[in-house]
Amino acid sequence: MQHAWRAASGPRPRPAPNHRLGGPRQPRGLVCSILQVNASLQPSRAALIARLRDERPLARLRTLGKVELDPPLYRCFPPPLCVRGTSGAVPQQLPLVTGRQEEEEEEGLGGRMGLLSILRKLKSAPDQEVRILLLGLDNAGKTTLLKQLASEDISHITPTQGFNIKSVQSQGFKLNVWDIGGQRKIRPYWRNYFENTDILIYVIDSADRKRFEETGQELAELLEEEKLSCVPVLVFANKQDLLTAAPASEIAEGLNLHTIRDRVWQIQSCSALTGEGVQDGMNWVCKNVNAKKK
Amino acid sequence: MFISLWEFFYENFFRYWMKWILRQMTGKCELQRIFDTYVGAQRTHRIENSLTYSKNKVLQEATHVMQGEVDKRVEDIMKEKNINPEKDASFKICMKACLLQISGYKQLYVDVENERKKPYDSDNLQHEKLLLKLWNLLMPKNKLKARISKQWADIGFQGDDPKTDFRGMGILGLINLVYFSENYTTVAHQILSRSNHPKLGYSYAIVGINLTEMAYSLLKSEALKFYLYNFVPGIPTMEHFHQFYCYLVYEFDKFWFEEKPESIMYFNLYREKFHEKIKRLLLDSNVALTLKI
């Protein structure tokens, strides 16, 4: 069963007529939105790059280039990166392309590709698998976050011995999320799970100020790991529902996140308990899946 | 499709006719026939089903009866079913016992859920006392140097302050841990020292909290019915829930060392395996799980 991810709030812009996509889809589980640039209204590549240069990191530009050079591929595979709506181009906010929609879209284009489209269908891989590693100190809220992502009940959570794993399907991506226990005793086992990680999510209990130093140290050590080099990192400043929670900006400063130069990173304040902010963080994850520098 | 159709007809027509025919043949109502044929958990379980599916409001609501009203409810049922107390003297006693078990199980779940919902609160003196009691029971020779201390890891908590480890199980997790250490102190010491095994070791306290979750979810899913109906002749209480927890802790430790997992990282895999094993045992209507030392 595929989860349809879409924006939770705000009206959805009407799709252009040549995009005959299915009706409104039921949001299930995690909700996230992906913005696509409408193919028919795409401005010239140079203009787009120029527009994006001032606000997006380099990794984005690179993938955008690929997308533009090879439009058929773009339609075959889910867009690895998303382009935020810029003033000139009218952004189309559409659910990510799934198999069924693809077919409809092609018929809509008059089937002008014939054999090519069949070949493309053969080539089009199943959902791209993404390995996400969820780390952080004990009691940071990793398991709650994992269960929130999988839309499971979060009221009976117990401390994690070992690890939990869940797969969350989203259009185009199969997110395999590994939640590893954060207890000091089992932190040495973390490294067994580093291999082939696409995204690292580091969870911090924003209200546990006494352990900011400890959590900062663990994160710094992770960032120095060779197997995790260049892996995009998302820091969740969790437990924002608590009054004593430190704001994300304060945590970012305390952890010296701005000194990270070798990878894309993001800090996102959230509450795994209420679900607030989780979706925004996962949007970022989807956008940066392929930003791992080789 | 066929099954649901059959169920529909069975529940609405056949069941009623069958009961009518049997009633004419034996001169007894379904409840009496159950008492004649079955004992133990099977009896209570069948009585419960019979009452739940009954179209009669008095019978249907009997499964939710309060403890003080059981006597009156039994009399209502006898009136409703035209049972002559002189002819069938045992009916009253049996029915009362069954109703106490059935409504007691429901009440036990409410009680357990109430404890679970209470989070551990460090400002609550009783909670703090209970936590220190746990330490003293498990570590009688070592004094706890401070309330917030690395020593807590020695009995298998994750960090310096155990309060964060109770999480979804609340104070219920702590009560369970203390109950086991208090009533089976020698066994608790043995298990704690085994849990410090360099290769096969696990974190005693948080595994205990995980097992509280297992006991709780089994109670919630009604999987403990056969067990409690067999084990407790009257009203099942918190005490019996704790007893079941103790059984789980003891058996899990045995299971873990028999299975010899590669590392603690596979805990959830073995936990699930153990869970399945217990669920299988609980399916037997003659189940009797007791901690045998």
Side-chain angles (χ1 to χ4, degrees), chain A residues 137 190 200-202 204 213-225 233-235 255 257 260:
Chain A
L137 301 189
W190 282 2
L200 171 65
I201 299 182
Y202 194 77
I204 292 174
E213 204 188 316
E214 186 182 344
T215 197
Q217 234 161 29
E218 291 292 346
L219 178 61
E221 276 173 34
L222 287 173
L223 296 180
E224 276 167 26
E225 287 288 344
V233 60
L234 169 67
V235 178
L255 298 182
L257 290 183
I260 299 175

Side-chain angles (χ1 to χ4, degrees), chain B residues 113-126:
Chain B
E113 177 73 355
N114 276 340
E115 293 300 314
R116 186 192 72 76
K117 275 189 186 153
K118 279 184 212 151
Y120 183 90
D121 176 10
S122 7
D123 295 331
N124 186 326
L125 223 80
Q126 271 179 324

Side-chain angles (χ1 to χ4, degrees), chain A residues 52-71:
Chain A
L52 287 165
R53 186 159 285 151
D54 7 287
E55 49 182 79
R56 311 310 308 170
L58 200 72
R60 277 169 193 288
L61 285 181
R62 198 192 54 189
T63 322
L64 181 77
K66 197 172 94 193
V67 162
E68 290 238 316
L69 286 170
D70 197 352

Side-chain angles (χ1 to χ4, degrees), chain A residues 11-285:
Chain A
R12 219 167 98 201
R14 271 224 234 101
N18 64 342
H19 279 82
R20 268 208 277 126
L21 296 171
R25 319 191 104 225
Q26 289 297 314
R28 280 199 40 192
L30 178 88
V31 187
C32 106
S33 76
I34 297 296
L35 302 169
Q36 281 184 344
V37 174
N38 184 356
S40 59
L41 287 170
Q42 254 175 20
S44 76
R45 185 183 169 202
L48 236 175
I49 290 178
R51 204 171 288 128
L52 287 165
R53 186 159 285 151
D54 7 287
E55 49 182 79
R56 311 310 308 170
L58 200 72
R60 277 169 193 288
L61 285 181
R62 198 192 54 189
T63 322
L64 181 77
K66 197 172 94 193
V67 162
E68 290 238 316
L69 286 170
D70 197 352
L73 248 182
Y74 176 41
R75 252 176 248 123
C76 264
F77 294 101
L81 276 192
C82 308
V83 182
R84 236 179 230 156
T86 42
S87 51
V90 180
Q92 285 294 317
Q93 191 178 348
L94 302 167
L96 267 174
V97 179
T98 62
R100 225 180 91 75
Q101 288 171 349
E102 238 171 68
E103 274 168 37
E104 285 173 353
E105 190 176 357
E106 263 159 31
E107 279 159 22
L109 292 170
R112 60 185 156 140
M113 279 156 203
L115 187 66
L116 204 66
S117 70
I118 295 167
L119 278 175
R120 208 188 301 141
K121 258 179 218 163
L122 285 175
K123 211 167 68 175
S124 77
D127 290 351
Q128 184 186 348
E129 290 211 25
V130 180
R131 184 184 164 100
I132 297 178
L133 201 54
L134 208 56
L135 296 176
L137 301 189
D138 53 277
N139 200 38
K142 298 176 291 296
T143 308
T144 309
L145 192 70
L146 180 76
K147 296 224 170 187
Q148 186 68 258
L149 290 178
S151 318
E152 285 178 19
D153 183 16
I154 53 167
S155 61
H156 305 148
I157 286 169
T158 53
T160 308
Q161 279 272 277
F163 66 90
N164 298 302
I165 177 172
K166 290 206 187 300
S167 288
V168 186
Q169 206 99 22
S170 81
Q171 290 98 339
F173 293 113
K174 186 179 168 204
L175 308 176
N176 298 321
V177 189
W178 295 71
D179 154 37
I180 322 280
Q183 180 188 4
R184 188 183 288 275
K185 217 168 119 189
I186 58 176
R187 278 178 221 161
Y189 290 99
W190 282 2
R191 55 176 60 253
N192 299 351
Y193 299 84
F194 289 165
E195 207 95 41
N196 300 322
T197 296
D198 294 305
I199 300 268
L200 171 65
I201 299 182
Y202 194 77
V203 188
I204 292 174
D205 175 353
S206 311
D208 189 4
R209 288 163 195 264
K210 277 184 206 148
R211 295 207 290 170
F212 277 177
E213 204 188 316
E214 186 182 344
T215 197
Q217 234 161 29
E218 291 292 346
L219 178 61
E221 276 173 34
L222 287 173
L223 296 180
E224 276 167 26
E225 287 288 344
E226 202 180 315
K227 280 180 185 162
L228 290 179
S229 65
C230 306
V231 171
V233 60
L234 169 67
V235 178
F236 265 125
N238 193 18
K239 306 204 186 178
Q240 292 294 328
D241 52 296
L242 297 176
L243 285 174
T244 51
S249 55
E250 192 187 319
I251 291 172
E253 208 166 302
L255 298 182
N256 286 324
L257 290 183
H258 54 271
T259 60
I260 299 175
R261 293 268 178 266
D262 59 341
R263 67 187 80 216
V264 272
W265 62 271
Q266 169 93 322
I267 184 159
Q268 170 70 48
S269 54
C270 79
S271 163
L273 199 71
T274 63
E276 219 178 324
V278 174
Q279 173 201 334
D280 299 327
M282 293 320 281
N283 282 350
W284 185 88
V285 165

Side-chain angles (χ1 to χ4, degrees), chain B residues 10 24 121 141 159 181 183 211 238 250:
Chain B
Y10 178 79
Q24 297 307 315
D121 176 10
K141 286 177 194 147
S181 317
N183 292 280
L211 291 173
M238 277 302 250
Y250 184 71

